[in-house]
Amino acid sequence: LKQHGVDLLLAHAPDRKEVPPVLARNQVDGALLFGSEEVSAPLLKALSNVPVVWCSGSANEVTRRFDHVLYDKSKVGRLAAEYLIKAGHRRLAFLNIWAESLIFSQRRETFVRVAEENGAGVDIITPSEKSGSNKTVTVVKELTKRLVSITPRPTGLFCPADDLMLLVYNSLHKLGYEPGEDIELIGCNNEAVFLEQMHPKPATVDI
């Protein structure tokens, strides 16, 4: 932007309803959007007045009207599978806490396919129906207990996001298992705020 003499303004719409003043006053010539695909009608209307590029996320009914820059979600699953297989693991697992998530499902599908193509088995660990209303921390504890009860127990685990990986990491410790030794982890998103709380630091896929 500096090379082209363009000014950059940062604006926030944390609840996805409020229209940032610079948009409301038509003070921008274009917009780069990051974040959730959920937007209110007033915000959507304000965005329709300028060229918009939606960065990351998914192309759905609301956002499809805009141009997109999307990362390759399927490649994430491939990189995770290849990492664990290269480390010598042949019994893998995928923590599927949000089954309805398109992003997580695409990471899962490729992870499973690449693992099986390389002769590795994969256990998909999903919440039980009664877990639906529970908090994420509670669900992850349940899934971690199921992970370590599998026979033979998986030695490599792909957590599709680093915040989930931290919860799993702590749950494993409480159950008496050493992450990185008893079970090797790999996450995704390279989020330092979560990774720095784990020692030794697990691998992660940097988008």
Side-chain angles (χ1 to χ4, degrees):
L1 291 174
K2 285 182 179 179
Q3 290 175 355
H4 290 83
V6 178
D7 292 326
L8 176 66
L9 301 174
L10 298 179
H12 299 277
D15 59 2
R16 299 179 292 278
K17 295 179 181 179
E18 182 181 348
V19 179
V22 292
L23 273 177
R25 295 195 294 262
N26 293 319
Q27 292 179 310
V28 296
D29 299 311
L32 301 174
L33 267 60
F34 292 84
S36 172
E37 297 86 1
E38 299 176 17
V39 291
S40 65
L43 182 55
L44 200 61
K45 182 178 179 181
L47 291 170
S48 67
N49 295 326
V50 295
V52 173
V53 175
W54 205 296
C55 302
S56 76
S58 302
N60 60 25
E61 186 176 350
V62 173
T63 66
R64 198 172 286 123
R65 68 191 69 189
F66 303 118
D67 289 326
H68 275 73
V69 175
L70 302 175
Y71 58 81
D72 189 342
K73 303 179 190 71
S74 62
K75 187 175 181 181
V76 170
R78 178 172 63 79
L79 290 172
E82 290 175 348
Y83 173 84
L84 292 173
I85 291 168
K86 187 176 180 180
H89 300 287
R90 290 296 176 268
R91 194 71 204 176
L92 310 180
F94 180 89
L95 194 82
N96 194 36
I97 186 169
W98 293 308
E100 72 279 2
S101 169
L102 177 61
I103 293 175
F104 282 12
S105 65
Q106 290 176 321
R107 295 176 183 181
R108 181 196 70 238
E109 289 169 7
T110 310
F111 178 76
V112 172
R113 177 175 55 79
V114 173
E116 291 178 346
E117 288 175 353
N118 286 272
V122 182
D123 290 292
I124 307 297
I125 306 173
T126 58
S128 59
E129 292 184 7
K130 63 181 181 180
S131 301
S133 60
N134 291 339
K135 293 182 179 179
T136 300
V137 174
T138 304
V139 174
V140 170
K141 286 181 179 178
E142 173 203 325
L143 297 184
T144 307
K145 287 181 180 178
R146 286 167 51 192
L147 167 69
V148 298
S149 69
I150 295 172
T151 305
R153 175 169 47 79
T155 59
L157 173 66
F158 176 32
C159 299
D162 291 337
D163 56 342
L164 293 177
M165 181 164 64
L166 176 59
L167 295 176
V168 172
Y169 187 98
N170 291 333
S171 294
L172 284 170
H173 263 303
K174 291 178 180 178
L175 292 170
Y177 294 87
E178 191 63 34
E181 294 183 11
D182 298 315
I183 299 179
E184 184 164 6
L185 309 179
I186 182 170
C188 185
N189 299 332
N190 193 24
E191 297 178 275
V193 66
F194 303 117
L195 294 172
E196 290 173 0
Q197 298 183 55
M198 294 177 270
H199 305 281
K201 188 183 298 183
T204 186
V205 179
D206 190 339
I207 297 295

